[in-house]
Amino acid sequence: ANSLLLFIDENYPGSEVRKLGGLGMIIDAILVMDFRKNSELREEGKRAASQMISAIQESGEDNNDGLMFAYGVLAKFSEADNTSDGYEKALHYYEKVRDWHKSVGDEMRVKRLEALIDNVKSKRDGRKVKPCSDEFLNGIRAHYDECIRVMGEGSAETLKAGISLSQALSNSGIHGLECERLSNKL
């Protein structure tokens, strides 16, 4: 990961766009790996997401999508720490992302984030995590369908949305067949 960023810095000095792309690639790779069981990977992911936030803020450009992506990643990595401090940080980042989506009227993502926030609060408070509600699953399904419609089945964003839906279906405990069919399709 650091080699990629060093390469970008040396060969493309001052190119924040390339740096953001490289950081995004690093984060995507770490999210695919089993970062929940590997604190070293989580820390590397947190560093990459923090660098992404700094690069966006330093560029002075209006890149809220990039910021929200980075905050969401920091939330996932912090939540995976499974500590009180990690849960508090995750809540902080998820709430930032939710508030931004609320400000732009993206109710589907707001509902999804509120469900994530509720689950983190349950973990923090030692309560049983709620299985995915039908409303939450319907929001993820709608996002996946929208990605297919707008970007096509083969796009990276559609694949990410499909993986998220598959994970949510699996976590629900009652949508195994739908999860299996979707996983085979992906």
mmCIF file of all heavy atoms in Angstrom, residues 34-75:
data_model
loop_
_atom_site.group_PDB
_atom_site.id
_atom_site.type_symbol
_atom_site.label_atom_id
_atom_site.label_comp_id
_atom_site.label_asym_id
_atom_site.label_seq_id
_atom_site.Cartn_x
_atom_site.Cartn_y
_atom_site.Cartn_z
ATOM 1 N N ASP A 34 -9.868 -9.979 5.055
ATOM 2 C CA ASP A 34 -10.515 -10.235 6.344
ATOM 3 C C ASP A 34 -9.975 -9.277 7.403
ATOM 4 O O ASP A 34 -9.316 -9.691 8.362
ATOM 5 C CB ASP A 34 -10.293 -11.688 6.749
ATOM 6 C CG ASP A 34 -11.229 -12.109 7.864
ATOM 7 O OD1 ASP A 34 -12.104 -11.317 8.249
ATOM 8 O OD2 ASP A 34 -11.068 -13.234 8.352
ATOM 9 N N PHE A 35 -10.265 -7.987 7.236
ATOM 10 C CA PHE A 35 -9.707 -6.963 8.127
ATOM 11 C C PHE A 35 -10.261 -7.061 9.546
ATOM 12 O O PHE A 35 -9.646 -6.574 10.478
ATOM 13 C CB PHE A 35 -9.922 -5.559 7.560
ATOM 14 C CG PHE A 35 -11.353 -5.095 7.588
ATOM 15 C CD1 PHE A 35 -11.867 -4.436 8.689
ATOM 16 C CD2 PHE A 35 -12.187 -5.320 6.511
ATOM 17 C CE1 PHE A 35 -13.176 -4.008 8.728
ATOM 18 C CE2 PHE A 35 -13.502 -4.888 6.529
ATOM 19 C CZ PHE A 35 -14.003 -4.239 7.642
ATOM 20 N N ARG A 36 -11.410 -7.676 9.719
ATOM 21 C CA ARG A 36 -12.008 -7.754 11.053
ATOM 22 C C ARG A 36 -11.142 -8.576 12.017
ATOM 23 O O ARG A 36 -11.154 -8.343 13.211
ATOM 24 C CB ARG A 36 -13.419 -8.333 10.971
ATOM 25 C CG ARG A 36 -14.440 -7.345 10.480
ATOM 26 C CD ARG A 36 -15.804 -7.976 10.307
ATOM 27 N NE ARG A 36 -16.849 -7.029 10.026
ATOM 28 C CZ ARG A 36 -16.956 -6.272 8.961
ATOM 29 N NH1 ARG A 36 -16.026 -6.308 8.047
ATOM 30 N NH2 ARG A 36 -17.961 -5.443 8.777
ATOM 31 N N LYS A 37 -10.419 -9.550 11.464
ATOM 32 C CA LYS A 37 -9.578 -10.408 12.299
ATOM 33 C C LYS A 37 -8.116 -9.995 12.266
ATOM 34 O O LYS A 37 -7.285 -10.663 12.858
ATOM 35 C CB LYS A 37 -9.709 -11.857 11.836
ATOM 36 C CG LYS A 37 -11.103 -12.422 12.043
ATOM 37 C CD LYS A 37 -11.189 -13.850 11.563
ATOM 38 C CE LYS A 37 -12.617 -14.363 11.729
ATOM 39 N NZ LYS A 37 -12.770 -15.669 11.128
ATOM 40 N N ASN A 38 -7.805 -8.909 11.579
ATOM 41 C CA ASN A 38 -6.411 -8.515 11.406
ATOM 42 C C ASN A 38 -6.251 -7.038 11.770
ATOM 43 O O ASN A 38 -6.532 -6.159 10.964
ATOM 44 C CB ASN A 38 -5.987 -8.780 9.962
ATOM 45 C CG ASN A 38 -4.523 -8.562 9.727
ATOM 46 O OD1 ASN A 38 -3.905 -7.669 10.306
ATOM 47 N ND2 ASN A 38 -3.955 -9.364 8.839
ATOM 48 N N SER A 39 -5.786 -6.786 12.975
ATOM 49 C CA SER A 39 -5.672 -5.399 13.445
ATOM 50 C C SER A 39 -4.671 -4.597 12.608
ATOM 51 O O SER A 39 -4.842 -3.392 12.436
ATOM 52 C CB SER A 39 -5.282 -5.365 14.923
ATOM 53 O OG SER A 39 -4.031 -5.982 15.119
ATOM 54 N N GLU A 40 -3.657 -5.259 12.066
ATOM 55 C CA GLU A 40 -2.677 -4.569 11.227
ATOM 56 C C GLU A 40 -3.333 -4.033 9.952
ATOM 57 O O GLU A 40 -3.085 -2.894 9.543
ATOM 58 C CB GLU A 40 -1.546 -5.542 10.874
ATOM 59 C CG GLU A 40 -0.244 -4.881 10.511
ATOM 60 C CD GLU A 40 0.849 -5.914 10.355
ATOM 61 O OE1 GLU A 40 1.217 -6.546 11.359
ATOM 62 O OE2 GLU A 40 1.317 -6.071 9.217
ATOM 63 N N LEU A 41 -4.183 -4.854 9.334
ATOM 64 C CA LEU A 41 -4.914 -4.411 8.144
ATOM 65 C C LEU A 41 -5.842 -3.249 8.474
ATOM 66 O O LEU A 41 -5.957 -2.288 7.713
ATOM 67 C CB LEU A 41 -5.756 -5.553 7.567
ATOM 68 C CG LEU A 41 -5.136 -6.455 6.534
ATOM 69 C CD1 LEU A 41 -6.134 -7.526 6.105
ATOM 70 C CD2 LEU A 41 -4.643 -5.686 5.339
ATOM 71 N N ARG A 42 -6.548 -3.369 9.608
ATOM 72 C CA ARG A 42 -7.463 -2.287 10.020
ATOM 73 C C ARG A 42 -6.706 -0.983 10.183
ATOM 74 O O ARG A 42 -7.146 0.072 9.732
ATOM 75 C CB ARG A 42 -8.171 -2.653 11.326
ATOM 76 C CG ARG A 42 -9.398 -3.463 11.133
ATOM 77 C CD ARG A 42 -10.310 -3.421 12.338
ATOM 78 N NE ARG A 42 -9.686 -3.691 13.614
ATOM 79 C CZ ARG A 42 -9.426 -4.902 14.087
ATOM 80 N NH1 ARG A 42 -9.717 -5.972 13.395
ATOM 81 N NH2 ARG A 42 -8.872 -5.046 15.279
ATOM 82 N N GLU A 43 -5.557 -1.040 10.836
ATOM 83 C CA GLU A 43 -4.777 0.182 11.063
ATOM 84 C C GLU A 43 -4.289 0.766 9.737
ATOM 85 O O GLU A 43 -4.294 1.982 9.553
ATOM 86 C CB GLU A 43 -3.610 -0.088 12.011
ATOM 87 C CG GLU A 43 -4.041 -0.348 13.444
ATOM 88 C CD GLU A 43 -4.970 0.718 14.003
ATOM 89 O OE1 GLU A 43 -4.676 1.924 13.870
ATOM 90 O OE2 GLU A 43 -6.016 0.358 14.574
ATOM 91 N N GLU A 44 -3.888 -0.098 8.812
ATOM 92 C CA GLU A 44 -3.474 0.387 7.497
ATOM 93 C C GLU A 44 -4.654 1.032 6.779
ATOM 94 O O GLU A 44 -4.521 2.072 6.137
ATOM 95 C CB GLU A 44 -2.899 -0.761 6.658
ATOM 96 C CG GLU A 44 -2.276 -0.282 5.369
ATOM 97 C CD GLU A 44 -1.512 -1.375 4.648
ATOM 98 O OE1 GLU A 44 -1.250 -2.440 5.226
ATOM 99 O OE2 GLU A 44 -1.166 -1.135 3.480
ATOM 100 N N GLY A 45 -5.813 0.428 6.910
ATOM 101 C CA GLY A 45 -7.017 1.005 6.306
ATOM 102 C C GLY A 45 -7.384 2.343 6.923
ATOM 103 O O GLY A 45 -7.767 3.278 6.219
ATOM 104 N N LYS A 46 -7.245 2.446 8.239
ATOM 105 C CA LYS A 46 -7.527 3.714 8.915
ATOM 106 C C LYS A 46 -6.564 4.801 8.442
ATOM 107 O O LYS A 46 -6.971 5.943 8.211
ATOM 108 C CB LYS A 46 -7.415 3.553 10.433
ATOM 109 C CG LYS A 46 -8.562 2.800 11.062
ATOM 110 C CD LYS A 46 -8.327 2.662 12.563
ATOM 111 C CE LYS A 46 -9.326 1.756 13.213
ATOM 112 N NZ LYS A 46 -9.095 1.618 14.660
ATOM 113 N N ARG A 47 -5.276 4.433 8.296
ATOM 114 C CA ARG A 47 -4.293 5.409 7.798
ATOM 115 C C ARG A 47 -4.642 5.871 6.389
ATOM 116 O O ARG A 47 -4.600 7.062 6.083
ATOM 117 C CB ARG A 47 -2.886 4.806 7.813
ATOM 118 C CG ARG A 47 -2.172 4.894 9.124
ATOM 119 C CD ARG A 47 -0.683 4.570 9.016
ATOM 120 N NE ARG A 47 -0.405 3.271 8.424
ATOM 121 C CZ ARG A 47 -0.420 2.117 9.077
ATOM 122 N NH1 ARG A 47 -0.688 2.104 10.371
ATOM 123 N NH2 ARG A 47 -0.151 0.982 8.472
ATOM 124 N N ALA A 48 -5.010 4.924 5.527
ATOM 125 C CA ALA A 48 -5.352 5.276 4.140
ATOM 126 C C ALA A 48 -6.584 6.173 4.100
ATOM 127 O O ALA A 48 -6.621 7.164 3.367
ATOM 128 C CB ALA A 48 -5.566 4.011 3.310
ATOM 129 N N ALA A 49 -7.607 5.848 4.901
ATOM 130 C CA ALA A 49 -8.820 6.668 4.927
ATOM 131 C C ALA A 49 -8.527 8.055 5.488
ATOM 132 O O ALA A 49 -9.032 9.063 4.974
ATOM 133 C CB ALA A 49 -9.910 5.976 5.746
ATOM 134 N N SER A 50 -7.691 8.133 6.519
ATOM 135 C CA SER A 50 -7.321 9.444 7.083
ATOM 136 C C SER A 50 -6.531 10.268 6.068
ATOM 137 O O SER A 50 -6.731 11.481 5.955
ATOM 138 C CB SER A 50 -6.497 9.257 8.361
ATOM 139 O OG SER A 50 -7.294 8.665 9.356
ATOM 140 N N GLN A 51 -5.623 9.600 5.323
ATOM 141 C CA GLN A 51 -4.879 10.305 4.276
ATOM 142 C C GLN A 51 -5.818 10.810 3.194
ATOM 143 O O GLN A 51 -5.627 11.896 2.653
ATOM 144 C CB GLN A 51 -3.823 9.381 3.650
ATOM 145 C CG GLN A 51 -2.621 9.147 4.519
ATOM 146 C CD GLN A 51 -1.638 8.203 3.852
ATOM 147 O OE1 GLN A 51 -1.998 7.110 3.415
ATOM 148 N NE2 GLN A 51 -0.385 8.634 3.763
ATOM 149 N N MET A 52 -6.837 10.018 2.882
ATOM 150 C CA MET A 52 -7.809 10.425 1.871
ATOM 151 C C MET A 52 -8.551 11.681 2.332
ATOM 152 O O MET A 52 -8.712 12.635 1.557
ATOM 153 C CB MET A 52 -8.794 9.289 1.594
ATOM 154 C CG MET A 52 -9.833 9.605 0.536
ATOM 155 S SD MET A 52 -10.913 8.196 0.236
ATOM 156 C CE MET A 52 -10.142 7.552 -1.233
ATOM 157 N N ILE A 53 -8.965 11.694 3.578
ATOM 158 C CA ILE A 53 -9.667 12.862 4.119
ATOM 159 C C ILE A 53 -8.754 14.085 4.070
ATOM 160 O O ILE A 53 -9.163 15.164 3.628
ATOM 161 C CB ILE A 53 -10.171 12.582 5.550
ATOM 162 C CG1 ILE A 53 -11.307 11.551 5.505
ATOM 163 C CG2 ILE A 53 -10.638 13.875 6.228
ATOM 164 C CD1 ILE A 53 -11.689 10.993 6.856
ATOM 165 N N SER A 54 -7.506 13.928 4.495
ATOM 166 C CA SER A 54 -6.553 15.050 4.470
ATOM 167 C C SER A 54 -6.335 15.553 3.051
ATOM 168 O O SER A 54 -6.300 16.764 2.814
ATOM 169 C CB SER A 54 -5.212 14.628 5.066
ATOM 170 O OG SER A 54 -5.352 14.335 6.423
ATOM 171 N N ALA A 55 -6.164 14.623 2.100
ATOM 172 C CA ALA A 55 -5.925 15.020 0.708
ATOM 173 C C ALA A 55 -7.118 15.790 0.150
ATOM 174 O O ALA A 55 -6.946 16.795 -0.555
ATOM 175 C CB ALA A 55 -5.633 13.785 -0.147
ATOM 176 N N ILE A 56 -8.315 15.341 0.471
ATOM 177 C CA ILE A 56 -9.518 16.037 -0.010
ATOM 178 C C ILE A 56 -9.599 17.423 0.610
ATOM 179 O O ILE A 56 -9.851 18.418 -0.078
ATOM 180 C CB ILE A 56 -10.784 15.214 0.300
ATOM 181 C CG1 ILE A 56 -10.816 13.947 -0.557
ATOM 182 C CG2 ILE A 56 -12.046 16.054 0.067
ATOM 183 C CD1 ILE A 56 -11.858 12.937 -0.135
ATOM 184 N N GLN A 57 -9.365 17.504 1.911
ATOM 185 C CA GLN A 57 -9.448 18.797 2.589
ATOM 186 C C GLN A 57 -8.366 19.752 2.107
ATOM 187 O O GLN A 57 -8.613 20.941 1.939
ATOM 188 C CB GLN A 57 -9.390 18.598 4.095
ATOM 189 C CG GLN A 57 -10.648 17.932 4.628
ATOM 190 C CD GLN A 57 -10.567 17.535 6.085
ATOM 191 O OE1 GLN A 57 -9.483 17.343 6.636
ATOM 192 N NE2 GLN A 57 -11.721 17.372 6.714
ATOM 193 N N GLU A 58 -7.159 19.234 1.851
ATOM 194 C CA GLU A 58 -6.061 20.079 1.374
ATOM 195 C C GLU A 58 -6.289 20.563 -0.052
ATOM 196 O O GLU A 58 -5.828 21.649 -0.420
ATOM 197 C CB GLU A 58 -4.734 19.318 1.446
ATOM 198 C CG GLU A 58 -4.228 19.140 2.860
ATOM 199 C CD GLU A 58 -3.027 18.206 2.941
ATOM 200 O OE1 GLU A 58 -2.419 17.901 1.891
ATOM 201 O OE2 GLU A 58 -2.713 17.784 4.063
ATOM 202 N N SER A 59 -6.991 19.774 -0.853
ATOM 203 C CA SER A 59 -7.211 20.156 -2.250
ATOM 204 C C SER A 59 -8.162 21.340 -2.360
ATOM 205 O O SER A 59 -8.150 22.056 -3.352
ATOM 206 C CB SER A 59 -7.765 18.973 -3.052
ATOM 207 O OG SER A 59 -9.121 18.736 -2.716
ATOM 208 N N GLY A 60 -8.996 21.533 -1.349
ATOM 209 C CA GLY A 60 -9.942 22.638 -1.376
ATOM 210 C C GLY A 60 -11.111 22.396 -2.317
ATOM 211 O O GLY A 60 -11.977 23.242 -2.480
ATOM 212 N N GLU A 61 -11.138 21.232 -2.954
ATOM 213 C CA GLU A 61 -12.231 20.916 -3.877
ATOM 214 C C GLU A 61 -13.436 20.398 -3.098
ATOM 215 O O GLU A 61 -13.310 19.878 -2.002
ATOM 216 C CB GLU A 61 -11.785 19.860 -4.887
ATOM 217 C CG GLU A 61 -10.734 20.366 -5.849
ATOM 218 C CD GLU A 61 -10.353 19.316 -6.876
ATOM 219 O OE1 GLU A 61 -11.165 18.410 -7.141
ATOM 220 O OE2 GLU A 61 -9.234 19.416 -7.394
ATOM 221 N N ASP A 62 -14.591 20.534 -3.710
ATOM 222 C CA ASP A 62 -15.826 20.054 -3.113
ATOM 223 C C ASP A 62 -15.992 18.585 -3.490
ATOM 224 O O ASP A 62 -16.529 18.257 -4.535
ATOM 225 C CB ASP A 62 -16.999 20.890 -3.629
ATOM 226 C CG ASP A 62 -18.297 20.552 -2.924
ATOM 227 O OD1 ASP A 62 -18.247 19.956 -1.839
ATOM 228 O OD2 ASP A 62 -19.366 20.879 -3.482
ATOM 229 N N ASN A 63 -15.479 17.698 -2.663
ATOM 230 C CA ASN A 63 -15.517 16.267 -2.946
ATOM 231 C C ASN A 63 -16.202 15.548 -1.792
ATOM 232 O O ASN A 63 -15.597 14.735 -1.096
ATOM 233 C CB ASN A 63 -14.096 15.740 -3.169
ATOM 234 C CG ASN A 63 -14.073 14.301 -3.635
ATOM 235 O OD1 ASN A 63 -15.083 13.612 -3.628
ATOM 236 N ND2 ASN A 63 -12.905 13.832 -4.016
ATOM 237 N N ASN A 64 -17.471 15.867 -1.596
ATOM 238 C CA ASN A 64 -18.198 15.257 -0.478
ATOM 239 C C ASN A 64 -18.365 13.756 -0.635
ATOM 240 O O ASN A 64 -18.366 13.034 0.360
ATOM 241 C CB ASN A 64 -19.558 15.933 -0.299
ATOM 242 C CG ASN A 64 -19.413 17.285 0.350
ATOM 243 O OD1 ASN A 64 -18.613 17.461 1.258
ATOM 244 N ND2 ASN A 64 -20.166 18.261 -0.114
ATOM 245 N N ASP A 65 -18.493 13.279 -1.879
ATOM 246 C CA ASP A 65 -18.610 11.832 -2.069
ATOM 247 C C ASP A 65 -17.362 11.123 -1.560
ATOM 248 O O ASP A 65 -17.445 10.092 -0.895
ATOM 249 C CB ASP A 65 -18.848 11.494 -3.545
ATOM 250 C CG ASP A 65 -20.245 11.849 -4.010
ATOM 251 O OD1 ASP A 65 -21.162 11.889 -3.166
ATOM 252 O OD2 ASP A 65 -20.419 12.096 -5.212
ATOM 253 N N GLY A 66 -16.197 11.673 -1.878
ATOM 254 C CA GLY A 66 -14.939 11.093 -1.402
ATOM 255 C C GLY A 66 -14.831 11.142 0.110
ATOM 256 O O GLY A 66 -14.389 10.179 0.748
ATOM 257 N N LEU A 67 -15.225 12.273 0.699
ATOM 258 C CA LEU A 67 -15.201 12.396 2.161
ATOM 259 C C LEU A 67 -16.127 11.382 2.820
ATOM 260 O O LEU A 67 -15.754 10.723 3.785
ATOM 261 C CB LEU A 67 -15.614 13.801 2.597
ATOM 262 C CG LEU A 67 -14.557 14.881 2.576
ATOM 263 C CD1 LEU A 67 -15.171 16.232 2.911
ATOM 264 C CD2 LEU A 67 -13.429 14.569 3.547
ATOM 265 N N MET A 68 -17.336 11.246 2.286
ATOM 266 C CA MET A 68 -18.297 10.325 2.882
ATOM 267 C C MET A 68 -17.814 8.886 2.755
ATOM 268 O O MET A 68 -17.984 8.080 3.666
ATOM 269 C CB MET A 68 -19.676 10.484 2.247
ATOM 270 C CG MET A 68 -20.324 11.844 2.508
ATOM 271 S SD MET A 68 -20.332 12.314 4.252
ATOM 272 C CE MET A 68 -19.236 13.725 4.228
ATOM 273 N N PHE A 69 -17.190 8.558 1.614
ATOM 274 C CA PHE A 69 -16.610 7.226 1.442
ATOM 275 C C PHE A 69 -15.562 6.979 2.525
ATOM 276 O O PHE A 69 -15.569 5.948 3.202
ATOM 277 C CB PHE A 69 -15.996 7.097 0.048
ATOM 278 C CG PHE A 69 -15.159 5.855 -0.136
ATOM 279 C CD1 PHE A 69 -15.758 4.621 -0.282
ATOM 280 C CD2 PHE A 69 -13.780 5.926 -0.154
ATOM 281 C CE1 PHE A 69 -14.992 3.468 -0.450
ATOM 282 C CE2 PHE A 69 -13.003 4.790 -0.320
ATOM 283 C CZ PHE A 69 -13.616 3.551 -0.470
ATOM 284 N N ALA A 70 -14.658 7.933 2.703
ATOM 285 C CA ALA A 70 -13.577 7.776 3.688
ATOM 286 C C ALA A 70 -14.128 7.689 5.110
ATOM 287 O O ALA A 70 -13.673 6.860 5.913
ATOM 288 C CB ALA A 70 -12.577 8.927 3.563
ATOM 289 N N TYR A 71 -15.115 8.529 5.436
ATOM 290 C CA TYR A 71 -15.711 8.458 6.770
ATOM 291 C C TYR A 71 -16.394 7.103 6.992
ATOM 292 O O TYR A 71 -16.316 6.530 8.076
ATOM 293 C CB TYR A 71 -16.728 9.579 6.981
ATOM 294 C CG TYR A 71 -16.137 10.952 7.150
ATOM 295 C CD1 TYR A 71 -16.763 12.068 6.616
ATOM 296 C CD2 TYR A 71 -14.950 11.152 7.851
ATOM 297 C CE1 TYR A 71 -16.229 13.341 6.768
ATOM 298 C CE2 TYR A 71 -14.410 12.420 8.005
ATOM 299 C CZ TYR A 71 -15.058 13.517 7.459
ATOM 300 O OH TYR A 71 -14.529 14.766 7.613
ATOM 301 N N GLY A 72 -17.073 6.605 5.971
ATOM 302 C CA GLY A 72 -17.729 5.299 6.087
ATOM 303 C C GLY A 72 -16.727 4.180 6.321
ATOM 304 O O GLY A 72 -16.960 3.259 7.112
ATOM 305 N N VAL A 73 -15.598 4.267 5.627
ATOM 306 C CA VAL A 73 -14.541 3.274 5.804
ATOM 307 C C VAL A 73 -13.971 3.347 7.220
ATOM 308 O O VAL A 73 -13.778 2.323 7.874
ATOM 309 C CB VAL A 73 -13.434 3.492 4.743
ATOM 310 C CG1 VAL A 73 -12.173 2.737 5.092
ATOM 311 C CG2 VAL A 73 -13.941 3.094 3.372
ATOM 312 N N LEU A 74 -13.709 4.553 7.691
ATOM 313 C CA LEU A 74 -13.211 4.705 9.063
ATOM 314 C C LEU A 74 -14.210 4.126 10.066
ATOM 315 O O LEU A 74 -13.811 3.512 11.060
ATOM 316 C CB LEU A 74 -12.928 6.173 9.381
ATOM 317 C CG LEU A 74 -11.632 6.720 8.796
ATOM 318 C CD1 LEU A 74 -11.571 8.234 8.956
ATOM 319 C CD2 LEU A 74 -10.429 6.078 9.453
ATOM 320 N N ALA A 75 -15.489 4.309 9.794
ATOM 321 C CA ALA A 75 -16.514 3.747 10.678
ATOM 322 C C ALA A 75 -16.420 2.223 10.701
ATOM 323 O O ALA A 75 -16.441 1.605 11.776
ATOM 324 C CB ALA A 75 -17.906 4.199 10.226
#
